[in-house]
């Protein structure tokens, strides 16, 4: 299960809307408990450096990846995963997403439609290198 | 000894260790030592042919080994080696 701070969630959604019709991308940070439940607290927005069709593909440069790792160390937070958007497409990982996916990371996908509707889902690779959906828990932050 | 920085997603295969000192003279030797010490790391670093996976970048200092001498790139005692997963995808 993954819980997302409302402000962090807004940052990702806004990035998806602002970058539309291209794909946005970035890192998210937080904490993980002993049974693997995650809390997302901070976001680092990075540029989609994919050369070519950024409406269908994203890429994060090695330089930005190293910056993403440093951000975690500096804030004493765990780098929990990568988010990106699927413009005019469901928030379901593609084969392209699966091939490049790393173990351990959560992959948050934001579907962004023409009418500014957004939908967010989270996925993680299992030991067979297949994606499994990770439930997003919105309740944890409701009373804060 | 050269120091290898392990990226977050691969640390579960290195007992959550982020920095590992390796006694090696090339990247090839470094990777071999790493995978001998941490066998679960192997399938994430190397493909079926034993080559470094296409979605794994290895940097010596600020330079991608693809721009140097690939796996034959030499490393020194004070070399910092970063394993950088390629982050990409799309709909």
């Amino acid at each position: 299960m993954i819980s997302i701070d409302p402000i962090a969630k807004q940052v990702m959604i806004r990035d998806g809307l602002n970058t539309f019709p291209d794909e946005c991308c970035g890192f998210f940070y937080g904490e993980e408990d002993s049974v693997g439940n995650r809390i997302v607290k901070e976001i680092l927005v990075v540029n989609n450096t994919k050369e070519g069709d950024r409406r269908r593909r994203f890429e994060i440069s090695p330089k930005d990846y190293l910056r993403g790792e440093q951000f975690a160390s500096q804030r004493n937070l765990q780098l929990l995963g990568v988010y990106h958007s699927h413009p005019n497409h469901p928030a379901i990982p593609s084969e392209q997403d699966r091939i490049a996916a790393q173990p351990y990371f959560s992959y948050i996908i934001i579907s962004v439609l023409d009418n500014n509707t957004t939908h967010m889902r989270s996925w993680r690779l299992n030991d067979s290198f297949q994606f499994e959906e990770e439930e997003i828990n919105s309740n944890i932050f409701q009373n804060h | 000894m050269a120091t290898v920085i392990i990226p977050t997603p691969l640390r579960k295969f290195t007992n959550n260790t982020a920095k590992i000192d390796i006694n090696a003279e090339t990247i090839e030797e470094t990777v071999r030592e790493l995978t001998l010490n941490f066998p679960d790391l192997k399938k994430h670093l190397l493909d079926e042919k034993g080559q470094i996976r296409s979605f794994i970048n290895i940097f010596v200092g600020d330079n991608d080994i693809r721009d140097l001498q690939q796996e034959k790139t030499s490393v020194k005692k004070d070399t910092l080696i970063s394993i950088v997963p390629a982050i990409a995808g799309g709909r």
Side-chain angles (χ1 to χ4, degrees):
Chain A
M1 187 181 293
I2 188 165
S3 306
I4 307 172
D5 173 90
I7 293 172
K9 189 174 182 180
Q10 274 310 307
V11 171
M12 289 188 279
I13 289 173
R14 202 179 309 128
D15 192 24
L17 290 169
N18 289 344
T19 313
F20 187 89
D22 287 349
E23 295 197 6
C24 70
C25 51
F27 297 107
F28 50 88
Y29 304 84
E31 292 163 4
E32 183 181 56
D33 69 17
S34 57
V35 292
N37 292 319
R38 296 175 165 189
I39 298 181
V40 176
K41 295 181 170 178
E42 287 210 47
I43 305 296
L44 179 66
V45 174
V46 299
N47 287 332
N48 177 357
T49 57
K50 179 70 184 174
E51 289 181 10
D53 191 358
R54 285 195 285 269
R55 296 181 181 208
R56 299 173 58 86
R57 295 283 183 269
F58 82 97
E59 191 173 296
I60 293 177
S61 70
K63 196 174 171 184
D64 276 339
Y65 181 81
L66 292 171
R67 190 162 65 92
E69 289 273 7
Q70 284 165 5
F71 186 94
S73 306
Q74 288 160 357
R75 312 253 168 160
N76 202 23
L77 292 170
Q78 192 72 9
L79 173 54
L80 294 174
V82 174
Y83 75 88
H84 73 283
S85 62
H86 279 181
N88 283 326
H89 206 74
I92 297 171
S94 65
E95 183 61 8
Q96 287 293 324
D97 291 328
R98 193 189 66 81
I99 290 169
Q102 296 296 318
Y104 176 81
F105 274 170
S106 293
Y107 284 84
I108 292 177
I109 302 178
I110 309 143
S111 167
V112 184
L113 304 182
D114 271 330
N115 60 4
N116 287 350
T117 306
T118 62
H119 180 54
M120 185 180 280
R121 295 172 77 174
S122 184
W123 307 82
R124 273 169 84 167
L125 274 190
N126 62 21
D127 290 338
S128 307
F129 291 89
Q130 300 299 316
F131 272 117
E132 286 180 7
E133 187 160 13
E134 180 176 43
E135 185 188 346
I136 297 178
N137 176 14
S138 304
N139 298 328
I140 187 171
F141 292 103
Q142 274 184 354
N143 296 323
H144 292 256
Chain B
M1 284 191 179
T3 301
V4 184
I5 311 277
I6 306 295
T8 298
L10 299 185
R11 284 178 201 160
K12 73 172 183 174
F13 309 112
T14 60
N15 303 325
N16 286 320
T17 307
K19 292 182 181 178
I20 295 168
D21 291 332
I22 297 280
N23 213 344
E25 293 186 353
T26 62
I27 289 297
E28 193 172 35
E29 286 179 24
T30 304
V31 172
R32 192 185 307 131
E33 277 298 306
L34 260 182
T35 54
L36 279 173
N37 292 336
F38 303 101
D40 291 342
L41 202 54
K42 194 171 181 178
K43 66 178 177 182
H44 297 283
L45 289 184
L46 303 176
D47 63 19
E48 305 76 29
K49 294 176 184 170
Q51 306 288 316
I52 293 168
R53 292 175 74 97
S54 58
F55 284 98
I56 292 289
N57 306 302
I58 296 185
F59 278 68
V60 170
D62 292 332
N63 300 306
D64 190 328
I65 62 163
R66 294 187 185 96
D67 300 326
L68 300 171
Q69 285 83 47
Q70 308 265 16
E71 289 94 330
K72 302 294 181 194
T73 301
S74 62
V75 298
K76 295 175 184 162
K77 283 180 181 174
D78 56 352
T79 301
L80 200 60
I81 301 163
S82 302
I83 298 174
V84 182
I87 306 294
R91 70 183 173 90

